[in-house]
Amino acid sequence: MNFVQLNKYAGNTTKVKFSTIPYLVYPALESIDFIRHGFSTRLGGVSEGHLASMNLGWERDDLRENVVKNHEIIAEAMGFDAKNIVTSHQTHTTNVRLVTKEDCGKGIYRERDFDNVDGLITQEKNVVLATYFADCVPLFLVDPKQKAIGLSHSGWKGTVGKIGKKTIEKMEECFGTKPEDVIACVGPSICQECYEVSGDVARQFQEVFPKHRNEILKDRGSDKYLLNLWKCNELIFQESGVRPEHIHVTDVCTCCNTDVLFSHRGHQGKRGNLAAFLEIKE
């Protein structure tokens, strides 16, 4: 698959980049000169079978050497050092951790000494934040004034718990970030038409977003609903004080594009993991 063919998978807010392998970027973030970022596809790696080929997940029954190699391939393509990656330990919490150069390599080349962390923030150069996905929502956060960044994993539990807001609050606490300065991007993930949830989940969202029920939920009958995680996270950023013009929401669905992206629902659980990366450059 060549660059031109891949471009059909980019949305209005994202585009495909192709160096040695393809990955997705946000033009809104590419214009910020002190950061490097990207979101992987399932193409260009060494994994096999239903994990083919760029599986970046550690708990998907892949060979460890394959996952390490895939991280090194995507790192080279995006232009950062794989040894500087700090991996999250995602358990659908709203926990956000401040990481530094001391954390580089944790989760890949050395043991991670923290767990239950779905969000990472830093203000240090050459610390590559990494979070992992196969339908859940990546949240990219950049503060151009304080030169600080955050990257979070927001599934339905993280979204109803407002991890996006908690990531901004952690950046404010640690770096003096002002929400109105933040550039926030909602990354490739499952769209509303592909994401059916049960009534008990829907009711939690109705409680958290009481004024926006019709924007975030479609009733399918039989106590089933279609949930719009993209809109929920956009609303969370607005509530947090991010300016509307600074919020960039994807229209790339993982479940609609299973030939180039991993999707838990689209692949009925037989899938690898994608990853989001964000770094402050030297």
Side-chain angles (χ1 to χ4, degrees):
M1 191 174 292
N2 62 34
F3 178 82
V4 174
Q5 290 172 314
L6 277 166
N7 266 325
K8 72 178 183 178
Y9 297 100
N12 294 325
T13 55
T14 57
K15 71 176 185 179
V16 176
K17 290 196 74 171
F18 196 103
S19 53
T20 53
I21 62 167
Y23 58 97
L24 299 174
V25 296
Y26 276 84
L29 297 184
E30 278 206 305
S31 65
I32 303 173
D33 61 7
F34 71 90
I35 64 163
R36 182 182 287 113
H37 81 289
F39 187 80
S40 69
T41 73
R42 63 176 298 180
L43 307 177
V46 299
S47 299
E48 299 179 346
H50 67 274
L51 301 172
S53 62
M54 181 55 72
N55 168 48
L56 297 166
W58 300 99
E59 299 175 354
R60 308 310 307 175
D61 296 324
D62 203 352
L63 296 174
R64 180 173 178 79
E65 55 263 35
N66 286 350
V67 183
V68 172
K69 181 63 176 177
N70 287 339
H71 276 84
E72 292 170 348
I73 291 170
I74 193 70
E76 181 180 5
M78 291 185 185
F80 59 80
D81 188 338
K83 291 184 172 58
N84 290 338
I85 295 173
V86 183
T87 67
S88 55
H89 182 261
Q90 296 164 198
T91 52
H92 297 277
T93 68
T94 56
N95 298 330
V96 180
R97 180 182 175 88
L98 171 65
V99 297
T100 69
K101 288 287 285 185
E102 296 299 315
D103 296 301
C104 287
K106 289 181 180 177
I108 301 180
Y109 298 104
R110 57 198 183 105
E111 188 174 350
R112 185 176 45 227
D113 58 356
F114 58 87
D115 56 17
N116 300 319
V117 170
D118 285 74
L120 302 169
I121 64 170
T122 195
Q123 201 177 27
E124 294 194 14
K125 296 176 181 178
N126 300 135
V127 177
V128 183
L129 309 182
T131 50
Y132 299 87
F133 304 90
D135 281 342
C136 294
V137 184
L139 303 177
F140 295 83
L141 297 163
V142 180
D143 176 357
K145 294 286 182 68
Q146 300 299 328
K147 292 193 172 181
I149 57 175
L151 186 63
S152 291
H153 160 265
S154 188
W156 79 258
K157 291 182 180 178
T159 300
V160 83
K162 300 186 178 180
I163 191 173
K165 182 177 183 180
K166 292 187 177 181
T167 306
I168 292 172
E169 289 171 348
K170 187 73 171 179
M171 292 173 69
E172 185 173 12
E173 173 191 335
C174 295
F175 313 131
T177 291
K178 295 180 179 179
E180 60 266 29
D181 294 331
V182 170
I183 309 299
C185 294
V186 177
S189 44
I190 195 165
C191 73
Q192 182 173 21
E193 296 306 313
C194 292
Y195 193 43
E196 183 181 276
V197 298
S198 58
D200 59 329
V201 172
R203 283 183 281 278
Q204 291 184 57
F205 279 84
Q206 289 181 56
E207 290 176 8
V208 172
F209 302 96
K211 297 180 181 179
H212 302 279
R213 183 192 186 284
N214 293 334
E215 294 176 81
I216 65 171
L217 290 166
K218 292 182 182 179
D219 192 339
R220 300 199 74 186
S222 301
D223 207 31
K224 300 292 183 182
Y225 298 81
L226 296 176
L227 174 61
N228 191 337
L229 291 175
W230 299 350
K231 186 62 179 182
C232 290
N233 280 287
E234 180 184 2
L235 292 169
I236 290 165
F237 284 143
Q238 291 176 357
E239 176 190 319
S240 301
V242 181
R243 295 177 180 175
E245 64 268 27
H246 289 174
I247 302 172
H248 305 273
V249 182
T250 189
D251 57 358
V252 177
C253 173
T254 46
C255 193
C256 290
N257 297 290
T258 53
D259 50 344
V260 294
L261 300 171
F262 289 120
S263 167
H264 186 76
R265 294 209 173 191
H267 292 112
Q268 291 80 50
K270 294 187 68 175
R271 48 79 180 174
N273 272 6
L274 308 164
F277 300 95
L278 184 59
E279 176 194 33
I280 300 172
K281 297 188 288 190
E282 185 63 59

